[in-house]
């Protein structure tokens, strides 16, 4: 077995306008042809991993920031938010007037007014991360398969993301739901736009450990590539960690190597540096 490579999606494999650089596709296909394994390791649930990503050619995925692990189509791990936890969070978010979406392998389920309230937030996210203004981004473009009239009390959830009206919303959510893992995500510089709640005691590093056990592989053969604070446990756990040039300052400070920006052949340059291609 060659190296086992774990790649974050947003800001690492995919740029902030939702495009996959051709050089990244070339890098992954060449690395796999050379006998290496490549997995995406993302906060997205499987429903958000669209066909253009699978078409690259992957060995599997880690989703929900570690709550779901798949290898060659086989589910290795899937830990879910309970229906009771979901109901409590949905009721709390409704009570605060915060719009949200529920992340499941069966789909993304939006709250009643997420489409209109989410549009300027997604435009700001694109503006912070990308090179353009992001004015053309809509919720339906950012989340093409999102379901807008689905059931909101669910038992199949990996994670819940909600729009922050202020940072205090995240702090209050963290206090209100100690049985869940609270986080934030946003744009360049790690400025929070969304809060999220997921399965407690789950990280990308935890999921990688479970996958390595399944593969009977060694951590010495692992490489992780990411761009944000949520990726730091993954880079710390793996033998070698790469930060994207377009990443946040925290992950750059602890990485073994900093490649170029996601849209400046960052993935290809990292694979070349590591001798994978």
């Amino acid at each position: 077995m060659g190296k086992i490579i774990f790649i974050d999606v947003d800001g690492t494999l995919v740029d902030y306008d939702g495009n996959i650089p051709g050089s990244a596709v070339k890098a992954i296909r060449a690395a796999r042809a050379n006998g290496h394994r490549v997995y995406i390791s993302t906060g997205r649930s499987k429903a958000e991993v669209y066909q253009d990503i699978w078409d690259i050619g992957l060995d599997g995925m880690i989703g929900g920031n570690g709550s779901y692990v798949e290898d060659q189509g086989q589910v290795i791990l899937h830990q879910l938010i309970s229906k009771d936890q979901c109901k409590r969070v949905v009721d709390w978010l409704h009570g605060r007037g915060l719009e949200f979406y529920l992340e499941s392998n069966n789909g993304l389920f939006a709250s009643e007014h997420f489409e209109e309230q989410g549009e300027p937030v997604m435009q700001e996210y694109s503006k912070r991360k990308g090179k353009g203004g992001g004015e053309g981004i809509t919720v339906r473009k950012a989340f093409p398969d999102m379901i807008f009239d689905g059931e909101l009390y669910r038992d199949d959830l990996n994670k819940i993301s909600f729009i922050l009206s202020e940072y205090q919303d995240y702090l209050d959510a963290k206090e209100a739901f100690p049985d869940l893992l609270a986080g934030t995500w946003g744009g360049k510089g790690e400025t929070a736009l969304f809060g999220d709640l997921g399965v407690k005691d789950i990280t990308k590093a935890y999921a990688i450990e479970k996958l390595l056990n399944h593969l009977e592989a060694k951590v010495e053969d692992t490489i992780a590539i990411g761009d944000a604070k949520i990726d730091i446990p993954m880079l710390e756990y793996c033998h070698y960690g790469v930060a994207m040039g377009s990443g946040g300052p925290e992950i750059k400070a602890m990485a073994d190597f900093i490649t170029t920006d996601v849209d400046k052949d960052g993935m290809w340059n990292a694979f070349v540096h590591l001798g994978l291609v």
Side-chain angles (χ1 to χ4, degrees):
M1 185 183 295
K3 299 298 184 182
I4 307 170
I5 308 150
F6 299 96
I7 301 171
D8 174 53
V9 172
D10 296 289
T12 302
L13 174 61
V14 177
D15 71 20
Y16 301 104
D17 293 318
N19 304 309
I20 304 173
S23 60
V25 176
K26 179 181 176 183
I28 291 170
R29 289 176 177 171
R32 294 186 75 228
N34 288 336
H36 306 296
R37 289 174 174 260
V38 180
Y39 297 84
I40 54 171
S41 183
T42 176
R44 297 190 189 195
S45 294
K46 190 171 182 179
E48 295 175 90
V49 180
Y50 304 118
Q51 193 58 45
D52 59 342
I53 294 176
W54 288 115
D55 286 345
I56 297 169
L58 299 167
D59 291 283
M61 70 170 289
I62 291 169
N65 284 330
S67 65
Y68 178 79
V69 181
E70 180 180 307
D71 174 51
Q72 303 294 336
Q74 179 184 356
V75 178
I76 307 304
L77 170 74
H78 196 186
Q79 296 187 239
L80 297 168
I81 294 171
S82 72
K83 189 170 185 178
D84 175 69
Q85 288 172 320
C86 171
K87 184 178 186 301
R88 288 191 291 113
V89 173
V90 167
D91 290 347
W92 186 84
L93 292 168
H94 276 147
R96 291 180 74 103
L98 299 176
E99 298 302 318
F100 58 91
Y101 65 96
L102 311 176
E103 303 182 42
S104 160
N105 283 7
N106 297 314
L108 305 181
F109 300 88
S111 61
E112 295 81 354
H113 305 290
F114 181 79
E115 182 171 10
E116 55 266 37
Q117 293 195 23
E119 183 169 303
V121 181
M122 294 310 300
Q123 289 175 354
E124 178 64 18
Y125 176 76
S126 179
K127 181 179 178 181
R128 290 178 182 182
K129 289 283 194 177
K131 302 301 182 184
E135 293 84 357
I137 298 293
T138 65
V139 166
R140 289 180 186 265
K141 183 176 180 181
F143 305 107
D145 297 324
M146 182 168 273
I147 298 164
F148 293 94
D149 56 356
E151 174 60 53
L152 298 180
Y153 291 161
R154 309 191 62 84
D155 62 1
D156 60 350
L157 298 186
N158 302 317
K159 192 156 63 80
I160 300 170
S161 286
F162 56 95
I163 299 172
L164 296 173
S165 64
E166 57 181 352
Y167 192 74
Q168 189 63 42
D169 294 326
Y170 155 70
L171 297 176
D172 291 346
K174 185 175 182 179
E175 182 177 355
F177 303 104
D179 54 330
L180 294 170
L181 178 64
T184 63
W185 57 279
K188 210 158 198 173
E190 306 290 355
T191 306
L193 291 171
F194 284 86
D196 62 30
L197 291 162
V199 180
K200 195 171 181 65
D201 300 323
I202 291 292
T203 66
K204 293 181 179 182
Y206 171 86
I208 290 171
E209 181 180 19
K210 295 296 182 184
L211 179 57
L212 293 181
N213 290 338
H214 167 75
L215 296 173
E216 297 182 348
K218 299 177 181 178
V219 70
E220 288 80 11
D221 293 326
T222 58
I223 298 166
I225 307 176
D227 75 312
K229 283 189 288 189
I230 193 70
D231 299 317
I232 288 176
M234 175 172 74
L235 268 68
E236 287 177 334
Y237 181 83
C238 288
H239 182 69
Y240 196 90
V242 177
M244 302 301 290
S246 43
E250 294 91 343
I251 195 167
K252 287 182 178 179
M254 57 77 61
D256 296 302
F257 176 70
I258 301 172
T259 187
T260 50
D261 289 7
V262 58
D263 56 354
K264 293 182 179 176
D265 301 323
M267 187 69 63
W268 173 262
N269 292 332
F271 276 41
V272 170
H273 174 79
L274 292 163
L276 301 170
V277 298

